[in-house]
Short mmCIF file of all heavy atoms in Angstrom, two decimals:
data_model
loop_
_atom_site.label_atom_id
_atom_site.label_comp_id
_atom_site.label_asym_id
_atom_site.label_seq_id
_atom_site.Cartn_x
_atom_site.Cartn_y
_atom_site.Cartn_z
N ILE A 7 7.01 10.49 -11.08
CA ILE A 7 6.28 11.64 -11.61
C ILE A 7 6.40 11.65 -13.13
O ILE A 7 7.50 11.68 -13.69
CB ILE A 7 6.84 12.96 -11.03
CG1 ILE A 7 6.65 12.98 -9.50
CG2 ILE A 7 6.18 14.18 -11.69
CD1 ILE A 7 7.27 14.18 -8.80
N GLY A 28 -2.87 -0.08 -9.69
CA GLY A 28 -3.70 -1.28 -9.78
C GLY A 28 -4.67 -1.42 -8.62
O GLY A 28 -5.73 -2.04 -8.75
N THR A 43 11.32 15.10 3.74
CA THR A 43 11.71 14.22 4.84
C THR A 43 11.29 14.79 6.19
O THR A 43 10.65 14.11 6.99
CB THR A 43 13.24 14.01 4.83
OG1 THR A 43 13.61 13.59 3.52
CG2 THR A 43 13.66 12.93 5.81
N LEU A 47 6.53 17.40 7.96
CA LEU A 47 6.76 16.05 8.46
C LEU A 47 5.67 15.08 8.02
O LEU A 47 5.95 13.94 7.68
CB LEU A 47 6.81 16.11 10.00
CG LEU A 47 7.26 14.85 10.73
CD1 LEU A 47 8.70 14.50 10.37
CD2 LEU A 47 7.11 15.04 12.24
N GLY A 72 -0.08 25.74 0.83
CA GLY A 72 0.79 25.72 2.00
C GLY A 72 2.19 25.29 1.62
O GLY A 72 2.53 25.16 0.44
N LYS A 81 8.30 19.77 -7.85
CA LYS A 81 8.85 18.46 -8.23
C LYS A 81 8.83 18.30 -9.75
O LYS A 81 7.90 18.76 -10.42
CB LYS A 81 8.03 17.34 -7.59
CG LYS A 81 7.97 17.40 -6.08
CD LYS A 81 9.08 16.62 -5.44
CE LYS A 81 8.97 16.69 -3.93
NZ LYS A 81 10.18 16.21 -3.26
N LEU A 99 -21.01 4.07 -6.27
CA LEU A 99 -21.51 4.13 -7.64
C LEU A 99 -22.74 3.26 -7.84
O LEU A 99 -23.58 3.53 -8.68
CB LEU A 99 -20.42 3.70 -8.62
CG LEU A 99 -19.39 4.79 -8.89
CD1 LEU A 99 -18.10 4.50 -8.17
CD2 LEU A 99 -19.16 4.95 -10.37
N ARG A 107 -30.09 9.59 -13.15
CA ARG A 107 -29.40 10.88 -13.29
C ARG A 107 -28.62 11.27 -12.04
O ARG A 107 -29.15 11.23 -10.93
CB ARG A 107 -30.42 11.97 -13.59
CG ARG A 107 -31.16 11.80 -14.94
CD ARG A 107 -32.43 12.62 -14.97
NE ARG A 107 -33.25 12.32 -13.80
CZ ARG A 107 -34.01 13.20 -13.18
NH1 ARG A 107 -34.09 14.45 -13.61
NH2 ARG A 107 -34.72 12.85 -12.13
N LEU A 138 -19.78 23.32 -11.36
CA LEU A 138 -18.49 23.62 -10.75
C LEU A 138 -18.47 25.06 -10.25
O LEU A 138 -18.84 25.98 -10.98
CB LEU A 138 -17.36 23.42 -11.78
CG LEU A 138 -17.34 22.07 -12.50
CD1 LEU A 138 -16.23 22.04 -13.56
CD2 LEU A 138 -17.17 20.91 -11.52
N VAL A 145 -8.89 30.68 -11.54
CA VAL A 145 -8.70 29.38 -10.91
C VAL A 145 -9.65 28.30 -11.45
O VAL A 145 -9.73 27.21 -10.91
CB VAL A 145 -8.83 29.47 -9.36
CG1 VAL A 145 -7.70 30.30 -8.78
CG2 VAL A 145 -10.18 30.05 -8.96
N GLU A 150 -13.82 21.97 -19.76
CA GLU A 150 -14.01 21.24 -21.02
C GLU A 150 -13.96 19.74 -20.83
O GLU A 150 -14.69 18.99 -21.47
CB GLU A 150 -12.94 21.67 -22.03
CG GLU A 150 -13.23 23.02 -22.64
CD GLU A 150 -11.96 23.72 -23.15
OE1 GLU A 150 -11.07 23.00 -23.65
OE2 GLU A 150 -11.88 24.95 -23.00
N LYS A 157 -23.67 17.86 -19.44
CA LYS A 157 -23.88 19.30 -19.38
C LYS A 157 -23.12 19.87 -18.16
O LYS A 157 -23.29 19.39 -17.05
CB LYS A 157 -25.37 19.59 -19.28
CG LYS A 157 -25.73 21.05 -19.14
CD LYS A 157 -25.68 21.78 -20.48
CE LYS A 157 -26.03 23.25 -20.29
NZ LYS A 157 -25.53 24.07 -21.40
N GLY A 168 -18.62 32.48 -16.09
CA GLY A 168 -19.86 31.73 -15.89
C GLY A 168 -20.87 32.56 -15.13
O GLY A 168 -20.87 33.79 -15.16
N HIS A 180 -31.29 26.88 -12.82
CA HIS A 180 -31.59 25.96 -13.92
C HIS A 180 -32.54 24.84 -13.49
O HIS A 180 -32.82 23.93 -14.28
CB HIS A 180 -30.31 25.37 -14.48
CG HIS A 180 -29.41 26.39 -15.12
ND1 HIS A 180 -29.63 26.90 -16.38
CD2 HIS A 180 -28.30 27.01 -14.64
CE1 HIS A 180 -28.67 27.79 -16.65
NE2 HIS A 180 -27.85 27.88 -15.60
N SER A 183 -32.47 18.76 -11.74
CA SER A 183 -33.02 17.64 -10.97
C SER A 183 -32.12 16.41 -11.11
O SER A 183 -31.30 16.33 -12.02
CB SER A 183 -34.44 17.33 -11.42
OG SER A 183 -34.40 16.95 -12.79
N ASP A 185 -31.36 12.03 -9.42
CA ASP A 185 -31.69 10.94 -8.51
C ASP A 185 -30.73 10.93 -7.32
O ASP A 185 -31.13 10.68 -6.19
CB ASP A 185 -31.62 9.60 -9.26
CG ASP A 185 -32.69 9.52 -10.34
OD1 ASP A 185 -33.88 9.67 -10.00
OD2 ASP A 185 -32.33 9.36 -11.52
N LYS A 197 -22.86 22.19 3.37
CA LYS A 197 -23.98 22.51 4.25
C LYS A 197 -25.15 23.08 3.45
O LYS A 197 -26.30 22.72 3.65
CB LYS A 197 -23.55 23.55 5.30
CG LYS A 197 -23.03 22.96 6.57
CD LYS A 197 -22.81 24.09 7.58
CE LYS A 197 -22.20 23.58 8.85
NZ LYS A 197 -21.81 24.63 9.77
N TYR A 209 -24.36 12.48 -1.43
CA TYR A 209 -23.09 11.96 -0.91
C TYR A 209 -22.07 13.08 -0.94
O TYR A 209 -21.82 13.69 -1.98
CB TYR A 209 -22.61 10.75 -1.73
CG TYR A 209 -23.55 9.58 -1.54
CD1 TYR A 209 -24.60 9.36 -2.44
CD2 TYR A 209 -23.43 8.73 -0.44
CE1 TYR A 209 -25.49 8.31 -2.25
CE2 TYR A 209 -24.31 7.68 -0.24
CZ TYR A 209 -25.34 7.47 -1.15
OH TYR A 209 -26.22 6.45 -0.95
N MET A 216 -5.56 16.13 8.53
CA MET A 216 -5.33 14.72 8.88
C MET A 216 -3.93 14.52 9.43
O MET A 216 -3.01 15.25 9.11
CB MET A 216 -5.48 13.84 7.63
CG MET A 216 -6.92 13.69 7.18
SD MET A 216 -7.01 12.60 5.76
CE MET A 216 -8.72 12.88 5.28
N GLY A 250 -26.28 13.74 6.33
CA GLY A 250 -27.00 13.40 7.55
C GLY A 250 -26.26 12.41 8.42
O GLY A 250 -26.54 12.26 9.60
#
Side-chain angles (χ1 to χ4, degrees):
Chain A
I7 298 175
T43 308
L47 189 64
K81 302 269 181 193
L99 281 105
R107 296 162 307 146
L138 308 176
V145 294
E150 283 155 36
K157 177 79 180 159
H180 295 281
S183 61
D185 295 303
K197 269 187 184 172
Y209 294 94
M216 288 182 191

